Amino acid sequence: MKKIGLIGGTGPESTLLYYKKLNSLIDSLTENKAMPDMVIESVNFRKAWNMLVDGDYNSLSKYISEKVNLLKKSGAEVMALTAVTMHIVFDTIIEQTGADLISIPMSVCNEAIRCNYRKIGLLGTIFTMENDYMKKDLVQAGIEVIVPNETDRKLVAKRIFEELEVGIVKESTLVEFNEIISRMKKEHGIEAVVLGCTELPLLLNDDNCVLPCMDSVAIHIQELINACTE
């Protein structure tokens, strides 16, 4: 089994999900015979977030690339970022490190194709909803991607940053998000919603959402499992 390397800390809650799920799912897959060797390089979330807000993508890519190189030195063979938003500098990180990182956007795209979706909604941080890095693979595959209106985007981003990033899950926020998803379904006819922030599965799932959820964490983790056990 190949050693897994993760860039964590953006934020801590999603990093915990990756660590726990990778261990438990591989343990189950191997009938309690093995758990993966794993290393996590955790970034300073506040530092990385400030770089994002300031638009200092050069510093952000350099900072994360340093962490990726440490994963490589540790012997990690299957590597990934544990945050969708950090994929804003994904291509630059690949150029700077030569690492073969498993992409969240491409993993989600592959799953959307498998599910035969033609039009999907996207929730995430303001960067994810208003930039192309989470959408471009889907669009190239012929899948239309819809984001909430400006007012709703700001609300989603606020709830992610002030609540979910620090592990706060509120029923009132669930109601708000379902209202937003319902509007997107009514106005645009979306068939499913991408949980395009790795903290969103703390709040939304197929059991409590008005539409099927494409859980970017679960989808990405399965890709990592396939890669490390092949």
Side-chain angles (χ1 to χ4, degrees):
M1 187 181 303
K2 295 176 182 176
K3 186 175 182 178
I4 298 171
L6 302 175
I7 302 297
T10 51
E13 296 298 325
S14 63
T15 306
L16 288 171
L17 284 175
Y18 273 84
Y19 182 77
K20 292 172 68 175
K21 287 291 187 180
L22 283 166
N23 274 290
S24 62
L25 291 173
I26 291 175
D27 191 38
S28 177
L29 181 67
T30 61
E31 298 180 340
N32 307 122
K33 293 183 175 66
M35 290 187 184
D37 289 324
M38 196 181 325
V39 60
I40 299 173
E41 278 293 333
S42 188
V43 307
N44 177 341
F45 172 72
R46 301 300 180 191
K47 177 178 179 179
W49 189 261
N50 288 338
M51 290 174 182
L52 273 170
V53 172
D54 293 340
D56 189 0
Y57 298 149
N58 288 334
S59 294
L60 180 63
S61 61
K62 181 179 178 182
Y63 181 44
I64 297 179
S65 291
E66 289 170 355
K67 299 289 186 176
V68 171
N69 284 328
L70 289 173
L71 291 181
K72 292 171 66 176
K73 289 179 180 179
S74 77
E77 300 165 275
V78 175
M79 292 175 282
L81 311 178
T82 62
V84 174
T85 304
M86 295 303 134
H87 283 71
I88 198 168
V89 290
F90 184 85
D91 291 342
T92 305
I93 293 168
I94 299 299
E95 292 173 3
Q96 292 176 344
T97 65
D100 186 17
L101 300 177
I102 296 179
S103 156
I104 295 176
M106 181 55 75
S107 299
V108 169
C109 180
N110 290 339
E111 180 66 11
I113 293 170
R114 189 189 70 79
C115 293
N116 201 31
Y117 289 135
R118 306 312 302 165
K119 184 181 289 189
I120 57 177
L122 171 63
L123 301 183
T125 65
I126 202 71
F127 300 99
T128 296
M129 291 185 288
E130 295 187 351
N131 287 277
D132 292 335
Y133 54 88
M134 190 65 189
K135 305 168 191 171
K136 62 182 180 181
D137 294 323
L138 291 159
V139 171
Q140 288 173 3
I143 300 169
E144 189 174 354
V145 182
I146 304 297
V147 297
N149 61 45
E150 183 178 1
T151 299
D152 287 345
R153 289 199 302 271
K154 289 179 178 178
L155 177 63
V156 170
K158 179 180 175 66
R159 297 292 186 256
I160 289 172
F161 185 74
E162 295 182 357
E163 297 174 15
L164 298 179
E165 290 284 4
V166 289
I168 298 171
V169 180
K170 294 182 177 180
E171 183 67 26
S172 59
T173 300
L174 175 61
V175 171
E176 289 174 335
F177 279 34
N178 267 320
E179 289 174 348
I180 290 169
I181 295 165
S182 294
R183 278 194 289 276
M184 295 168 71
K185 178 183 179 182
K186 180 179 179 180
E187 295 172 6
H188 301 284
I190 63 172
E191 305 162 87
V193 60
V194 176
L195 306 184
C197 170
T198 47
E199 275 75 34
L200 280 172
L202 297 172
L203 178 72
L204 286 164
N205 56 64
D206 283 334
D207 294 330
N208 65 15
C209 185
V210 294
L211 280 178
C213 291
M214 296 190 68
D215 180 342
S216 60
V217 174
I219 293 166
H220 194 214
I221 284 173
Q222 189 57 55
E223 291 282 340
L224 292 171
I225 291 172
N226 293 344
C228 78
T229 58
E230 65 183 9

